């Protein structure tokens, strides 16, 4: 038998013994998954090699037969990687394509490979192997981005910028502190992915179609050979559920949400109205009509791509919500959303990991913005409290001071001492130590605060944690 494209003679079905007529041509194309699941070829071959070796270990096939199967599978892997295998729609999926090519290459011995397994537990194993590798790669890229944020945060610990609530100037903060807020979001994202990986890394192979198998398979040996942490304990659940994919997509959606929040701020900060940062030209594009434009396309696109990952999550939630046990053809639809989410997330992380270290802050513009909007008003209230004024009374006094400064068209720090003392007799000349943006920022000297020395300490700790993770 030879592998064919659709225009050639149809390939024989490996399951066709029960059927009296060929599959309708449209149905054949409609139900085939080879157009996308060929991406699992490496995982499929890796799992099949372990399965064949185990069959020989337990005496179901001979050692010689196992060696022929393994050599054949390795040759097929080489064919695929060289682009020498013509995928056949008639053979439906990656599993049947590879098995048919194996039989074509080594003869009837190849027909023994599928002993003791089903495509149901085979595909469940393949997708877990794929997702385990994908999660590891995503974690590595997320940690590369985290490291870039830590390095930039440490360098910009003294840089003042306005902190916002409701997108209104609130209090002065360190630019480094703001970057470390992004880092901490990603740190939790990585923790979620690490936890998700534990549930991904359970082997379903040996569950067969739904009930297990009568062959004396050594599932634990195969699991160890493939690097799984353990084996599934219920064959019905193992072949049919996809909650580990849904959990991954949930973690991926949260991560993309964080990247989207970062994107929104980067877009704002690069605007002429903010002008807080400059992105390198290689991460931006221009306008076809307006020559002055420099558009922050990378963060804008990442912000937009977030919806793709959300869509993948809802696709799988909907896919699984009404399925009875055990496997159903519905589950063929689980792969494309996962593949798309993995690719989208990896691309977004890579773009950010390359772009973030190259950000150039406009420090003077940030400082100027931090002085606007009475950002040190809370510091004045705290000053009064330390001088024995009840906080609510201090709040009212500062409100009056802000109103007076507004009428004068200046900042609180620009008001003469005599005018401040006319509002409250508790104010002395040392008040100007807290009314500056630097003084305000330095005063937040507690764990988790924005004082520059706390920012530097947090950066050092975060870098040490990344070093200890041995991921990047």
């Amino acid at each position: 038998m030879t592998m064919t494209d659709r225009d050639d003679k149809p390939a024989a079905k490996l399951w066709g013994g029960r059927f009296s007529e060929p599959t309708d041509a449209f149905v054949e194309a409609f139900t085939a998954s080879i157009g996308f699941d060929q991406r699992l070829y490496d995982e499929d071959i890796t799992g099949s090699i372990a399965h064949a070796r185990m069959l020989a270990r337990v005496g179901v096939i001979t050692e010689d037969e196992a060696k022929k199967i393994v050599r054949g599978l390795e040759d097929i892997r080489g064919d695929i990687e060289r682009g020498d295998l013509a995928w056949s729609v008639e053979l439906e999926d990656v599993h049947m394509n590879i098995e048919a090519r194996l039989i074509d290459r080594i003869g009837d011995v190849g027909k023994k490979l599928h002993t003791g397994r089903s495509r149901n537990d085979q595909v469940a194993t393949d997708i877990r192997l794929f997702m385990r590798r994908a999660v590891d790669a995503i974690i590595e890229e997320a940690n590369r981005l985290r490291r870039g944020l830590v390095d930039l945060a440490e360098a910009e610990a003294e840089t003042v910028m306005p902190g916002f609530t409701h997108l209104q100037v609130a209090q002065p903060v360190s630019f480094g502190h703001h970057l470390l807020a992004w880092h901490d979001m990603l740190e939790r994202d990585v923790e979620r992915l690490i936890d998700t990986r534990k549930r991904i890394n359970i082997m379903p192979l040996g569950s067969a179609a739904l009930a297990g198998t009568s062959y004396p398979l050594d599932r634990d040996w195969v699991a160890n050979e493939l690097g799984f942490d353990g084996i599934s304990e219920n064959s019905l659940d193992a072949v049919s559920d996809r909650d580990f994919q849904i959990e991954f997509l949930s973690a991926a959606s949260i991560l993309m949400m964080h990247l989207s929040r970062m994107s929104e701020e980067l877009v704002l900060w690069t605007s002429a109205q903010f002008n807080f940062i400059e992105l390198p030209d290689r991460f931006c594009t221009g306008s076809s009509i307006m020559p002055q434009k420099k558009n922050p396309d990378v963060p804008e696109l990442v912000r937009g791509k977030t919806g793709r990952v959300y869509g993948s999550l809802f696709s799988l939630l909907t896919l699984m919500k009404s399925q009875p046990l055990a496997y159903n053809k519905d589950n063929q639809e689980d792969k494309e959303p996962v593949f798309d989410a993995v690719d989208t997330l990896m691309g977004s992380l890579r773009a950010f990991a390359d772009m973030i270290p190259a950000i150039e802050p406009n420090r003077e513009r940030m400082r100027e913005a931090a002085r606007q909007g009475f950002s040190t008003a809370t510091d004045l209230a705290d000053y009064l409290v330390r001088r024995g004024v009840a906080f609510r009374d201090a709040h009212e006094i500062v409100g009056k001071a802000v109103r007076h400064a507004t009428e004068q068209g200046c900042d609180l720090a620009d008001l003469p001492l005599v005018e401040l003392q006319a509002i409250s007799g508790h104010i002395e000349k040392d008040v100007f130590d807290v009314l500056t943006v630097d003084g305000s920022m330095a005063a937040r000297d507690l764990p988790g605060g924005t004082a520059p020395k706390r920012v530097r300490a947090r950066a050092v700790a975060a870098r040490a944690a990344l070093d200890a993770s041995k991921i990047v």
Side-chain angles (χ1 to χ4, degrees), residues 10-28:
K13 305 294 186 186
L14 297 183
W15 46 258
R18 181 253 184 272
F19 291 79
S20 60
E21 64 178 1
T23 307
D24 179 86
F26 168 75
V27 171
E28 189 168 61

Side-chain angles (χ1 to χ4, degrees), residues 107-247:
D108 287 350
V109 172
K111 296 178 180 179
K112 296 187 177 185
L113 171 61
H114 208 53
T115 305
R117 73 176 184 183
S118 160
R119 279 188 291 178
N120 294 356
D121 62 342
Q122 187 179 357
V123 69
T125 301
D126 289 357
I127 196 67
R128 285 175 182 268
L129 288 171
F130 169 83
M131 291 188 64
R132 183 180 71 190
R133 184 166 60 178
V135 165
D136 289 347
I138 290 167
I139 290 172
E140 183 174 347
E141 202 67 5
N143 281 351
R144 188 165 74 92
L145 172 55
R146 288 172 60 195
R147 189 176 294 278
L149 286 166
V150 167
D151 291 345
L152 186 59
E154 187 173 39
E156 302 296 335
E158 301 277 355
T159 301
V160 181
M161 69 172 291
F164 297 92
T165 61
H166 309 280
L167 205 56
Q168 304 293 315
V169 174
Q171 292 177 278
V173 297
S174 160
F175 181 43
H177 193 56
H178 195 117
L179 294 170
L180 288 176
W182 291 357
H183 166 273
D184 288 4
M185 295 176 190
L186 292 168
E187 183 178 49
R188 295 190 297 276
D189 291 325
V190 168
E191 290 170 355
R192 273 184 284 270
L193 287 167
I194 290 171
D195 196 52
T196 298
R197 191 187 191 280
K198 298 174 186 176
R199 282 171 288 284
I200 290 172
N201 206 32
I202 300 297
M203 190 189 77
L205 199 62
S207 300
L210 76 162
T213 179
S214 59
Y215 294 98
L217 307 185
D218 189 342
R219 298 186 67 206
D220 290 316
W221 184 90
V222 178
N224 183 69
E225 188 79 355
L226 294 175
F228 284 106
D229 294 332
I231 61 173
S232 57
E233 299 295 341
N234 185 286
S235 58
L236 289 167
D237 177 61
V239 301
S240 63
D241 206 357
R242 296 294 185 267
D243 60 356
F244 62 97
Q245 292 171 288
I246 293 171
E247 185 177 359

Side-chain angles (χ1 to χ4, degrees), residues 225-276:
E225 188 79 355
L226 294 175
F228 284 106
D229 294 332
I231 61 173
S232 57
E233 299 295 341
N234 185 286
S235 58
L236 289 167
D237 177 61
V239 301
S240 63
D241 206 357
R242 296 294 185 267
D243 60 356
F244 62 97
Q245 292 171 288
I246 293 171
E247 185 177 359
F248 163 74
L249 290 172
S250 176
S253 294
I254 296 171
L255 203 166
M256 285 299 297
M257 176 270 292
H258 284 148
L259 293 182
S260 184
R261 293 185 69 190
M262 298 177 205
S263 296
E264 177 69 8
E265 291 190 306
L266 290 171
V267 171
L268 288 172
W269 293 351
T270 56
S271 69
Q273 291 74 21
F274 277 78
N275 193 25
F276 284 0

